[in-house]
Amino acid sequence: MTKETKLTLENLEETFQDDTRIKVAAVDIDGLLRGKIIHKEKFLQVAKSGFVFCSVIFGWDMQDKNYTTPMEFAGKDCQYFDLIAKIDLSSYRRIPWENNMPFFFVSLFHPNTGEPLYCCPRNVLKSAVDQFAELGITASCGVEFEFFCFNETTESLDGKGHSQLQPLTLGMCGYSVLRPLQNQDFYYNAFDWLKQFKVDIESWHTETGPGVFEAAIMYNDAKEMGDRATLFKTSMKQIGLKHKVMPSFMAKPYADQPGCSGHMHFSLKDANGDNNLFAIGEPSDIPNMTKNMQYFLAGVLLGLPSILAILAPTINSYKRLVENYWAPVSVSWGIDSRHSAVRVIAPPSTSPNATRLEMRVSGADINPHLALAAVLKCGYWGIQTKQSLPTGPSNSAVDVTNNERLSRTLQEATDVMDAKDSVARKVLGNAFIDHYVSTRRHEWILWQNAVTDYELKRYMELV
């Protein structure tokens, strides 16, 4: 099968004639891959109709502890019934560091209704993409991750009590051309293997801090970007295992260091992909910004307080969202301003075709599918209802202090999301919000009952 040949039900058997096993995975509410290896013959049998997948993956948290809050998939009356998992043939790729084993995503469906499962992250993002498609618009996105890397293993992490970890490199060496050579095999293999895995990295460099890297995943359509960003996080952990390196996507491992961001970039194109609708179209009263871009931005800003629990989904997320550490803490926007929650990137600092919005609130601990979906749905709502910007542009760190302060804890953010009239409910729907709110309240309850080393033990390896 050549690289250009599209995978179909008709050519599956030929494509996998030399394979014996295939890996499939779903995405859970925290963005972790939950999957398994299945025999090739079983895969061929279920490729069209799907197979069953236990609903418990939405009934427990990232450490497989059953949710203590009410929901359909947990609790004393829950039967932990099976969901229907349908294989997405378009997600096909091979895993270079696992002997080129074939890999596929699955999307999940409710067995009683046959409808897409309301809390399946891939379904939520697809819904956002489909809304724009109905308008003849393609949503395009990019995601950048900052993350610390350590000379540790699961065993050494446990032995040290999740503290006093050895960073991969020393010093504050942002954009260093020296530090990567200390771990050259890890650095170059990650770049090359991810390209082979169809998770191309646009740029890959050290950030300021001990053992910190930043990777920008190459711009793509939103649905594909959700898959690639999610795969990137798991892939880096797997590649790290091959090189005795532990990457961590925890938002704030050190109190005295900047946290780790998961910035997201957004633009809209016409159906043919020829014209950037943020640059070409009816102009707004803001230079180099169309009305569509302004409406989209307004929707995002108005929705931001109520989707914050998705952009900052853990207890630790809010240790990053503090003043004086490069992280935005208010409902704000600015022209090429890194102090703001949303940075408008437009001419003259970039070309019209590259005009876009950058969401800077999100951390490295996001579930990419949900974070992309939440911003896109707020932007779609802004366009459809022609929302007005809630504030003018901010040009400095002082300016943003005058704007609405975002929630300071996961508990506060969850309460804002849960409000009856929240924008999050308008755009994401009650079924999803009710489930997601329940998962975040569970997270908060565990934190309330935990000892002070809770955050490191819970998030250092897994988030």
Side-chain angles (χ1 to χ4, degrees), residues 136-140 267-281 290 292 352-355:
I137 295 173
T138 298
S140 299
S267 61
L268 303 178
K269 296 183 178 180
D270 61 21
N272 297 323
D274 297 328
N275 296 312
N276 184 336
L277 301 182
F278 285 174
I280 298 175
T290 63
N292 275 330
N353 193 49
T355 299

Side-chain angles (χ1 to χ4, degrees), residues 125 132 138-143 219-220 222 225 262-269 276 278 293 296 300 307 311 342-343 345 354-360 362 368 370-377 379:
L125 180 55
F132 280 105
T138 298
S140 299
C141 305
V143 179
Y219 217 67
N220 216 305
M225 181 51 60
H263 295 162
M264 302 179 291
H265 294 248
F266 298 87
S267 61
L268 303 178
K269 296 183 178 180
N276 184 336
F278 285 174
M293 187 179 192
F296 186 102
V300 171
I307 63 169
L311 304 182
V342 181
R343 179 168 69 122
I345 306 171
T355 299
R356 61 196 187 276
L357 296 174
E358 179 188 26
M359 168 56 72
R360 297 181 56 79
S362 42
L370 295 184
L372 291 169
V375 174
L376 286 170
K377 281 181 170 285

Side-chain angles (χ1 to χ4, degrees), residues 179-190 243:
R179 284 291 186 264
L181 299 189
Q182 294 179 258
N183 302 276
Q184 182 170 300
D185 287 347
F186 168 69
Y187 189 67
Y188 290 144
N189 283 344
H243 296 86

Side-chain angles (χ1 to χ4, degrees), residues 197-260:
F197 194 45
K198 299 182 183 177
V199 184
D200 298 68
I201 298 177
E202 185 176 281
S203 62
W204 172 223
H205 63 87
T206 61
E207 253 295 355
T208 183
V212 187
F213 290 94
E214 178 175 347
I217 303 168
M218 193 168 289
Y219 217 67
N220 216 305
D221 70 81
K223 180 176 176 292
E224 180 66 18
M225 181 51 60
D227 286 352
R228 293 189 180 201
T230 296
L231 287 173
F232 175 82
K233 294 176 72 172
T234 297
S235 297
M236 285 307 305
K237 294 172 188 177
Q238 292 179 328
I239 294 168
L241 287 172
K242 295 285 187 179
H243 296 86
K244 299 182 179 179
V245 173
M246 177 177 285
S248 173
F249 292 88
M250 185 176 175
K252 185 86 166 182
Y254 298 109
D256 60 350
Q257 297 277 358
C260 295

Side-chain angles (χ1 to χ4, degrees), residues 137-158:
I137 295 173
T138 298
S140 299
C141 305
V143 179
E144 310 163 353
F145 287 115
E146 298 169 345
F147 53 100
F148 283 84
C149 291
F150 301 95
N151 281 317
E152 302 290 349
T153 64
T154 303
E155 291 73 24
S156 69
L157 194 68
D158 184 66

Side-chain angles (χ1 to χ4, degrees), residues 4 14 44 60 72 90 96 105 114 145 247 278 284 382 416 423 434:
E4 293 76 22
E14 177 187 358
L44 294 175
W60 61 24
E72 183 178 8
S90 70
F105 273 112
F145 287 115
F278 285 174
S284 71
V416 175
V423 175
D434 289 343

Side-chain angles (χ1 to χ4, degrees), residues 328-440:
V329 297
S330 66
V331 177
S332 53
W333 67 278
I335 305 294
D336 205 15
S337 170
R338 286 182 166 84
H339 298 295
S340 303
V342 181
R343 179 168 69 122
V344 175
I345 306 171
S349 62
T350 193
S351 68
N353 193 49
T355 299
R356 61 196 187 276
L357 296 174
E358 179 188 26
M359 168 56 72
R360 297 181 56 79
V361 174
S362 42
D365 52 358
I366 55 170
N367 176 331
H369 287 93
L370 295 184
L372 291 169
V375 174
L376 286 170
K377 281 181 170 285
C378 285
Y380 174 84
W381 170 73
I383 290 174
Q384 288 292 83
T385 56
K386 295 180 168 55
Q387 293 294 318
S388 300
L389 291 170
T391 180
S394 300
N395 299 313
S396 69
V398 175
D399 287 346
V400 298
T401 61
N402 298 319
N403 293 1
E404 177 187 352
R405 179 57 159 88
L406 293 170
S407 296
R408 296 175 184 271
T409 68
L410 180 61
Q411 182 185 43
E412 290 179 21
T414 301
D415 287 343
V416 175
M417 171 179 275
D418 192 32
K420 184 177 180 180
D421 59 348
S422 73
V423 175
R425 285 196 176 276
K426 286 186 177 74
V427 302
L428 288 161
N430 288 326
F432 172 80
I433 292 298
D434 289 343
H435 177 84
Y436 191 79
V437 162
S438 187
T439 69
R440 294 315 95 183

